[in-house]
Amino acid sequence: MKKVLLFLALLLAVFPGKVFSQIVASLSGYPIVTTGWIIGGNASAVDSEIRLTPNLGNQSGQVYYNTPLNVTACGSFQVDFD
């Protein structure tokens, strides 16, 4: 028990005020579940995908998570597109 407390004290001394957390906001499912997301412009949910624009010129679309997330407390953040 003393070793665990010593390790935690050492960890806090090395990373003072740093709290690392994981926040996951994903779009997945079939049909795709868009709860919490805003889809605008020419974007649309199609089966298991988000289509940002149709195959036409001069189109624009966006998708974003409706709840602001504070990523300043994270050591890093990652966005993946497939």
Side-chain angles (χ1 to χ4, degrees):
M1 182 66 172
K2 288 182 182 180
K3 288 182 181 180
V4 171
L5 291 176
L6 180 60
F7 175 73
L8 290 175
L10 180 61
L11 189 62
L12 289 174
V14 173
F15 300 106
K18 299 284 185 186
V19 176
F20 298 101
S21 62
Q22 183 175 7
I23 301 168
V24 177
S26 66
L27 288 162
S28 62
Y30 188 90
I32 196 164
V33 177
T34 59
T35 304
W37 293 85
I38 301 296
I39 300 172
N42 296 107
S44 61
V46 179
D47 297 329
S48 63
E49 301 175 343
I50 297 292
R51 184 171 295 156
L52 291 178
T53 62
N55 190 15
L56 299 170
N58 299 319
Q59 303 293 302
S60 65
Q62 68 271 356
V63 59
Y64 60 92
Y65 197 59
N66 193 36
T67 304
L69 301 173
N70 183 0
V71 296
T72 59
C74 299
S76 65
F77 69 95
Q78 177 177 328
V79 178
D80 294 317
F81 295 94
D82 184 18

